[in-house]
Amino acid sequence: MSYHQDLPPKGGYPDVQWKRNLPSRGFRPSIYLAIMGVVSLLSVIPMSKGFRERREYSREKAWARLSLLPLLQAEADRDYVRRITALTKREQELMKDHPDWADNKPVFNDGRSRFPSYVALEATKN
Amino acid sequence: MPSNHLNTLPYYVVDPTPMPEGIPSVPEVGATSAPLLSVSYFIGARCKPYNNNFMLCRSKSKTPEQDCLYEGRRVTRCAISVLEDITKNCEETLKAHVDCLENRNHELDKCRLQEAFLNKCVKKFLNLEKVIPDAEGIPVHLRNVKLVD
């Protein structure tokens, strides 16, 4: 009685197919990345043009406001003078019996004009 | 803002005292924001010396409100003259531009057509031109193509 050891066939077993056998579609991934980069870079040009145009719009608006600024300021100044004069007069009238009242004494010594933070006004019924 | 704020009360707290004697009176402009924005460049073009004089006086003075009333009256009178001239000569175009601005959120770039007519009319009758200082390339109000909305 002879014994035979179980051995692989002559020349070995055939390869096991572990890899999928599919055709690859499209380009390499790096090419897609490159295309995306180029498109993004090309889009920067019109975008920057748009940004520049927006900046011109805001400059136009700023210069329009600058042209009006002296006019609005002049009107506000006249109103300030009117109100501060009325306030001083009212204060004098109110404090005329108090000789130690320092009339219209400024809080700061820099000589600049300021409107007082709190003003007593007579509320008039509508 | 608290609910009992002064403006919500049935009182008005505006000081009604008139201007003191000795300060000459001047008519106020009285225009709202859209007409002022519409004619702002023409005010800037005609009244530049008065405006510069007024702002220089203000920047030099420590009490600019009291010291620059004379210059301020000249500024106001000049602006009124521009507004009156434009309303006299170009009322239709001014009204179209103002209405457009009122309807388009006061954005100048949305009203280029009306602005072009107004600029043409003002150039013809008042010889004033809209100039945006330090403009990059063609000034925006003269461009034909609009890139951004």
Side-chain angles (χ1 to χ4, degrees):
Chain A
M1 193 167 184
S2 60
Y3 295 95
H4 290 285
Q5 194 181 352
D6 192 14
L7 286 170
K10 285 261 164 51
Y13 288 110
D15 287 345
V16 177
Q17 193 195 342
W18 55 272
K19 201 174 175 181
R20 291 205 300 169
N21 190 17
L22 289 173
S24 64
R25 289 189 301 115
F27 304 113
R28 275 183 289 138
S30 59
I31 292 186
Y32 282 111
L33 194 69
I35 288 171
M36 210 174 79
V38 168
V39 168
S40 305
L41 281 175
L42 288 178
S43 319
V44 167
I45 297 163
M47 196 173 75
S48 77
K49 278 185 185 167
F51 285 165
R52 278 156 187 271
E53 195 169 305
R54 281 233 178 89
R55 193 165 65 211
E56 289 296 307
Y57 291 161
S58 36
R59 275 182 9 84
E60 186 190 19
K61 194 152 190 144
W63 277 106
R65 184 71 188 180
L66 280 172
S67 311
L68 294 176
L69 197 74
L71 160 68
L72 303 170
Q73 189 68 58
E75 195 173 331
D77 282 1
R78 279 193 291 276
D79 194 48
Y80 172 88
V81 168
R82 181 181 68 80
R83 284 162 61 193
I84 202 81
T85 316
L87 183 69
T88 316
K89 202 174 269 179
R90 207 179 303 124
E91 206 172 83
Q92 279 172 352
E93 179 66 25
L94 200 66
M95 304 304 284
K96 62 179 183 240
D97 302 331
H98 302 265
D100 55 337
W101 172 257
D103 177 39
N104 207 16
K105 190 172 181 286
V107 183
F108 299 97
N109 280 323
D110 58 356
R112 294 187 170 276
S113 58
R114 287 181 181 82
F115 200 78
S117 307
Y118 297 98
V119 177
L121 274 175
E122 202 179 331
T124 315
K125 193 98 178 175
N126 255 336
Chain B
M1 193 180 283
S3 61
N4 62 348
H5 190 263
L6 284 171
N7 292 334
T8 64
L9 291 174
Y11 302 101
Y12 64 92
V13 287
V14 177
D15 195 343
T17 318
M19 199 72 162
E21 302 288 323
I23 295 178
S25 69
V26 66
E28 296 294 354
V29 174
T32 50
S33 56
L36 281 179
L37 179 63
S38 181
V39 301
S40 58
Y41 276 91
F42 308 124
I43 290 178
R46 186 187 273 181
C47 309
K48 195 177 181 185
Y50 303 108
N51 288 353
N52 286 351
N53 198 13
F54 175 64
M55 292 319 257
L56 200 67
C57 169
R58 274 187 64 83
S59 66
K60 274 182 183 166
S61 170
K62 275 191 166 184
T63 52
E65 292 88 358
Q66 285 97 332
D67 296 348
C68 303
L69 285 169
Y70 171 67
E71 285 83 354
R73 283 193 295 273
R74 291 174 61 159
V75 164
T76 303
R77 262 188 234 111
C78 179
I80 289 174
S81 80
V82 174
L83 268 163
E84 277 181 349
D85 285 357
I86 294 180
T87 43
K88 199 167 70 187
N89 295 310
C90 312
E91 192 173 0
E92 297 297 313
T93 46
L94 177 71
K95 194 172 184 306
H97 190 219
V98 167
D99 286 348
C100 176
L101 285 176
E102 290 279 23
N103 293 329
R104 305 285 158 84
N105 210 11
H106 286 213
E107 285 174 62
L108 290 166
D109 59 290
K110 303 276 166 63
C111 302
R112 291 291 180 220
L113 184 67
Q114 290 88 341
E115 195 195 315
F117 284 123
L118 177 65
N119 287 357
K120 203 176 159 189
C121 179
V122 171
K123 172 77 183 154
K124 187 180 164 195
F125 286 103
L126 277 76
N127 199 21
L128 295 175
E129 225 169 332
K130 170 172 175 175
V131 178
I132 307 173
D134 310 324
E136 191 182 86
I138 307 169
V140 270
H141 62 288
L142 300 176
R143 289 182 193 174
N144 295 320
V145 186
K146 199 161 175 289
L147 295 175
V148 287
D149 205 14

